[in-house]
Amino acid sequence: MIGMMLIVFLVLLMLGVPVCFSLAIPTVFYFFLNTGTVPIEFIAHQTTNPLMNYVLIALPAFLLSGRMMNGTGVTHRIFDFANALVGRFRGGLIYTNIVASMMFASMSGTAVGDAGGLGQIEMDMMDRAGYKREISAGITASSSVLGPIIPPSVNMVILGATAGISIGLVTPTEAAVLAIDYAIFLGILYKEASLRNIWQTLEETVAAAGTFMYITAVAGFFTWILTREGLPQFLTSVLTPLIGSSQVVGLLLIAGFLLIAGCFLDTTAAILMITPILMPIVNSLGIDPIVFGVVMVVALIIGIITPPFGICLFVISDVAKLPVSAVTKEAIRYLPAMVAALLLIIFFPQTVTFLAGL
């Protein structure tokens, strides 16, 4: 049954069906095949249960703060500030692209928001400086992966809510509201905020948040089915002999699995689906949940610039007006460095826990 559901899910993804529907359709099949054992009330319960989490209120708030930065002119100023810091060095606009993405990531919380928000500005500046469009597109796509690993990270919020991992010293909801207030204040200060811009930003945020919440709901039911069918127990029984008692080996195997999953799954959907399955293994090995969380997010976001379903490749392709293959060719040049960073986290988890320990 699990094999059939996963095959249907992957086939739908490959056919270009949106991930939310690719998740929903197999669950509907499962229900009709098990009408005698699964009450219809379970659909409503298991789809709404994941949404009953206070932490998830931060999701639309972070999405709003990132879009508010775009609408109030903050995005251009971030790029100008980054350019003032590192633009004077040789190849300075490449460094500016990366630094600006890092700064914007601390406001948008998403890789797609980073790519879509700053992408056009960054590539236009690099065009004027004489860089090939393909090179600037590849760098812009690669630098966007900084978004999900820098607070406030939407993916980290979802992971924390799913796995029960503490998010911060300040709640993510409070941080998101503060970011929105800051964006509005700057928009008024720069005289670029208007009721029309704010209303348009609210409309875009509602649409994006609706997609996130729908995926969260459907993934909750999908994961319940996988758990009911015994997938977590099966994986634990298979992986435990391979891992033994080594946390490093465990993290390496988990990271390898997540790297593959990230090539096919949306990061949000992957976190919602895979986290409940892997947590028993993580707990049995005594792995620090914070280390696991960072390894998971880093491994999955590498997939957003990896074929065949790297979402940022498609976003940047649309922004740059280039074929996806051209963007991919340049973006994959930076994959070895990303994998090296992932291995550094696994072998030296203190790089993750140092700040949290303070």
Side-chain angles (χ1 to χ4, degrees):
M1 183 66 72
I2 293 178
M4 183 193 73
M5 290 183 62
L6 293 177
I7 289 172
V8 172
F9 173 59
L10 291 175
V11 169
L12 291 172
L13 277 181
M14 292 179 182
L15 292 175
V17 178
V19 66
C20 53
F21 299 117
S22 297
L23 281 170
I25 292 172
T27 61
V28 174
F29 286 159
Y30 180 88
F31 172 75
F32 283 113
L33 291 174
N34 295 271
T35 51
T37 58
V38 180
I40 193 171
E41 294 85 1
F42 266 67
I43 295 180
H45 176 72
Q46 294 299 333
T47 52
T48 56
N49 189 53
L51 301 178
M52 303 302 176
N53 193 319
Y54 179 76
V55 174
L56 288 179
I57 297 176
L59 267 180
F62 280 143
L63 293 172
L64 177 59
S65 65
R67 284 167 170 76
M68 196 69 74
M69 295 291 176
N70 280 339
T72 55
V74 176
T75 304
H76 288 82
R77 289 172 171 83
I78 288 175
F79 188 86
D80 292 341
F81 178 67
N83 192 38
L85 288 177
V86 295
R88 61 183 179 277
F89 301 115
R90 184 179 180 182
L93 278 180
I94 294 178
Y95 300 129
T96 299
N97 188 319
I98 297 170
V99 172
S101 293
M102 182 179 68
M103 296 170 64
F104 189 73
S106 66
M107 302 174 192
S108 70
T110 65
V112 175
D114 191 344
L118 271 177
Q120 188 66 60
I121 300 170
E122 292 170 335
M123 284 185 285
D124 287 346
M125 290 288 288
M126 296 182 75
D127 285 347
R128 289 195 289 270
Y131 287 89
K132 290 183 179 179
R133 190 72 166 176
E134 292 84 356
I135 294 176
S136 60
I139 293 169
T140 302
S142 302
S143 64
S144 67
V145 302
L146 291 167
I149 61 175
I150 298 177
S153 165
V154 169
N155 295 129
M156 291 290 190
V157 170
I158 294 174
L159 176 62
T162 306
I165 302 173
S166 176
I167 304 290
L169 303 170
V170 59
T171 69
T173 307
E174 292 168 349
V177 172
L178 288 173
I180 294 170
D181 293 340
Y182 183 56
I184 295 175
F185 170 75
L186 289 179
I188 295 173
L189 186 66
Y190 298 145
K191 298 180 180 180
E192 295 193 29
S194 67
L195 289 177
R196 181 180 180 181
N197 285 345
I198 294 175
W199 183 257
Q200 182 179 354
T201 301
L202 289 171
E203 288 182 339
E204 294 173 355
T205 302
V206 169
T211 302
F212 271 107
M213 293 303 183
Y214 182 72
I215 293 175
T216 301
V218 175
F221 190 41
F222 193 92
T223 303
W224 175 81
I225 293 173
L226 297 181
T227 303
R228 184 176 187 266
E229 292 294 321
L231 183 59
Q233 293 83 353
F234 172 76
L235 288 177
T236 302
S237 64
V238 170
L239 292 177
T240 300
L242 297 174
I243 296 172
S245 59
S246 173
Q247 294 184 358
V248 172
V249 174
L251 284 173
L252 285 172
L253 287 176
I254 289 172
F257 169 69
L258 293 172
L259 284 170
I260 296 172
C263 295
F264 297 92
L265 296 175
D266 173 77
T267 306
T268 300
I271 290 172
L272 291 167
M273 289 172 55
I274 299 173
T275 302
I277 297 172
L278 291 181
M279 281 308 293
I281 300 173
V282 171
N283 293 330
S284 66
L285 289 172
I287 296 174
D288 189 319
I290 296 177
V291 175
F292 162 71
V294 174
V295 168
M296 183 176 200
V297 172
V298 172
L300 288 175
I301 62 172
I302 291 176
I304 66 177
I305 60 165
T306 306
F309 299 112
I311 186 170
C312 273
L313 298 176
F314 295 97
V315 172
I316 294 298
S317 171
D318 181 65
V319 173
K321 308 302 179 188
L322 290 172
V324 175
S325 58
V327 180
T328 302
K329 182 180 178 180
E330 291 296 328
I332 59 176
R333 295 175 184 267
Y334 306 97
L335 288 180
M338 297 179 189
V339 174
L342 178 60
L343 292 175
L344 184 67
I345 294 170
I346 292 173
F347 285 102
F348 302 97
Q350 299 83 358
T351 56
V352 171
T353 57
F354 173 73
L355 286 176
L358 295 179

